[in-house]
Amino acid sequence: LAAECQRKSAEKAEKAGDIKGLAISAFCEAVERVSAELACSSRPVVLEWLLGVLSVTGKFMDYALQTADDPTSARWRELNLPCHLITSFFWADMRPERAEEFVKRLVLYVSDTANSAHKPILALCSAICNNDRQTTEDVWNGKVEGELHPLYRATAGLWLARNSHKGDEIVAYYEAVIKMDGPIHVVRAIATRELALFTSMKTK
């Protein structure tokens, strides 16, 4: 439903000649379709195709907003685009193209004092790309000052579950993510599947 709403917004923007609006809505539709697939089934072939669509629409949005200097365009180009691509691919246990470039963009964006509240998402995305456990733990434990949507704190917990080596620690992180409050249905679904798989392999 969310993806369909974004698709309709993209159509309206296109008819109105609003290329920036079209690009943002098309990208949002792709994000929602990836999220829906991860939440419901995570079929490998379908997921790979949807991530490809996400990458392409991301490039289109990047191009469409390239010369725009309004705050909304800057936020989508320098914050939302890197954040969505890095986390969406991470949820699928993959890495997007240009990951290092996206982290550099986030660094520049957050270095502006007006955007400093986004330090936790910068820390998380950087930690994901650099396999930085300590920073991920800091994000998970709320030690990075700033604002962080519950979905991304849950993402930090998912990273810790995937990158822990002790069985009880792995289970503890998965269970903590699953029990979290807030709109984290995508990460909760992934954690539930992965915990079930880990448990079944452990009992064999």
Side-chain angles (χ1 to χ4, degrees):
L1 181 59
E4 186 62 17
C5 288
Q6 293 293 346
R7 184 188 66 79
K8 290 178 180 177
S9 293
E11 286 181 351
K12 288 179 181 178
E14 184 178 16
K15 288 177 182 177
D18 178 7
I19 301 302
K20 290 191 297 184
L22 164 62
I24 292 170
S25 292
F27 181 71
C28 289
E29 178 189 356
V31 169
E32 295 294 353
R33 293 198 185 282
V34 169
S35 296
E37 180 63 24
L38 285 164
C40 296
S41 58
S42 191
R43 297 163 292 182
V45 174
V46 176
L47 182 57
E48 185 177 352
W49 176 70
L50 290 171
L51 287 167
V53 174
L54 179 62
S55 294
V56 170
T57 54
K59 288 177 182 177
F60 171 54
M61 184 176 75
D62 199 14
Y63 177 77
L65 304 181
Q66 200 170 40
T67 58
D69 56 5
D70 59 286
T72 298
S73 295
R75 185 178 72 251
W76 275 100
R77 187 181 62 237
E78 308 301 335
L79 175 69
N80 294 348
L81 172 63
C83 169
H84 281 307
L85 280 170
I86 289 170
T87 55
S88 294
F89 272 79
F90 167 72
W91 295 336
D93 205 15
M94 298 169 68
R95 184 184 180 92
E97 296 177 4
R98 301 160 59 202
E100 292 80 7
E101 177 194 329
F102 289 140
V103 172
K104 289 178 182 177
R105 285 195 189 192
L106 286 169
V107 169
L108 287 173
Y109 186 81
V110 174
S111 66
D112 185 331
T113 53
N115 306 321
S116 61
H118 299 293
K119 285 180 180 177
I121 194 64
L122 162 62
L124 175 63
C125 289
S126 178
I128 288 172
C129 292
N130 295 303
N131 291 316
D132 182 345
R133 184 180 186 88
Q134 184 57 60
T135 301
T136 308
E137 286 181 347
D138 288 345
V139 173
W140 171 250
N141 292 316
K143 292 182 178 179
V144 182
E145 187 176 348
E147 301 171 1
L148 188 67
H149 190 281
L151 182 63
Y152 299 117
R153 179 172 179 266
T155 299
L158 179 63
W159 189 98
L160 291 167
R162 286 176 174 177
N163 290 278
S164 294
H165 301 294
K166 297 178 181 178
D168 56 345
E169 194 174 70
I170 293 169
V171 171
Y173 277 122
Y174 277 131
E175 289 182 342
V177 169
I178 293 165
K179 292 175 183 176
M180 276 183 64
D181 293 327
I184 64 161
H185 63 282
V186 176
V187 178
R188 183 182 290 116
I190 296 167
T192 301
R193 279 198 305 270
E194 292 183 4
L195 176 58
L197 179 60
F198 175 77
T199 304
S200 66
M201 290 175 63
K202 197 175 178 184
T203 55
K204 286 181 180 178

